[in-house]
Amino acid sequence: MRASLIVPPHVYSSLVMVARDCLPDESCGILAGHHHGRVERIFPVDNIAEQPANQFRIDSRALNQHLPQIRADGLQVIGFFHSHPATPPVPSPHDITGMHDMHALHLIVSLKGSAPRLAAWRIEGARISAVDLILDDCPAPPEAESFWNEAATPAIMVGVALIAIISLIVLSFNLLPPAP
């Protein structure tokens, strides 16, 4: 059965507001809700990535800081979110490598275009799968499905492979002895 993520209007508004407030950087945070996939609250956290304008990284200390409040509210961590200020809501190679071991739902808020667009994903290793996103009485995003198609998966995989190859080449050059 395919997973789904339900986003009510107050959560949608909060996600968009946080994404806009963090411009030009990417926002990020925790999705708290119920095990059936309904998001009840978001917990924005600082983006501690080295290049926050086009990457994100959630500080594990921030996650631990919010866990007591999430539990006290009778909620659980059901996933994470971040924004793409100028690109579609599709996982980038950096998103995939950064989230590959979290086995959680991941929501991306895109501010590209005239209206915000949201998309939800499950990232497990190098496998990416779309998650049904149910916007409960939220404004309908324009062309909600047009940014993802079957051709996107190989393109993303090629991007991840290229990053890995470039990293290996750079590492190889760093390990070479100095020239005489």
Side-chain angles (χ1 to χ4, degrees):
M1 183 173 163
R2 190 164 151 164
S4 63
L5 194 64
I6 303 165
V7 177
H10 71 280
V11 172
Y12 175 90
S13 298
S14 295
L15 287 163
V16 172
M17 182 182 70
V18 168
R20 286 181 174 152
D21 287 349
C22 287
L23 287 173
D25 294 339
E26 293 189 4
S27 65
C28 60
I30 304 162
L31 301 172
H34 302 287
H35 70 279
H36 55 75
R38 182 178 175 85
V39 182
E40 296 296 341
R41 191 166 170 206
I42 65 166
F43 290 84
V45 299
D46 290 336
N47 181 351
I48 61 168
E50 289 182 21
Q51 298 175 5
N54 57 17
Q55 297 176 11
F56 80 99
R57 185 167 161 227
I58 295 174
D59 187 353
S60 61
R61 291 175 294 182
L63 175 60
N64 292 332
Q65 174 187 356
H66 290 295
L67 280 175
Q69 182 63 51
I70 292 169
R71 290 184 182 129
D73 291 346
L75 304 173
Q76 59 189 8
V77 174
I78 59 172
F80 301 92
F81 73 88
H82 80 281
S83 65
H84 283 183
T87 59
V90 176
S92 70
H94 289 288
D95 296 343
I96 295 165
T97 56
M99 294 297 291
H100 75 280
D101 61 347
M102 298 190 88
H103 301 288
L105 297 179
H106 197 76
L107 181 69
I108 301 176
V109 179
S110 172
L111 297 178
K112 179 182 180 181
S114 59
R117 293 189 300 173
L118 279 64
W121 308 92
R122 182 176 301 280
I123 302 171
E124 296 174 310
R127 201 173 103 228
I128 306 143
S129 55
V131 172
D132 291 329
L133 182 62
I134 301 166
L135 298 175
D136 240 7
D137 297 326
C138 294
E143 304 169 17
E145 296 297 322
S146 66
F147 56 84
W148 183 261
N149 57 43
E150 293 303 315
T153 299
I156 291 171
M157 300 308 291
V158 167
V160 170
L162 285 174
I163 289 174
I165 291 169
I166 291 169
S167 297
L168 286 173
I169 291 170
V170 169
L171 180 63
S172 297
F173 280 120
N174 287 334
L175 295 175
L176 288 174

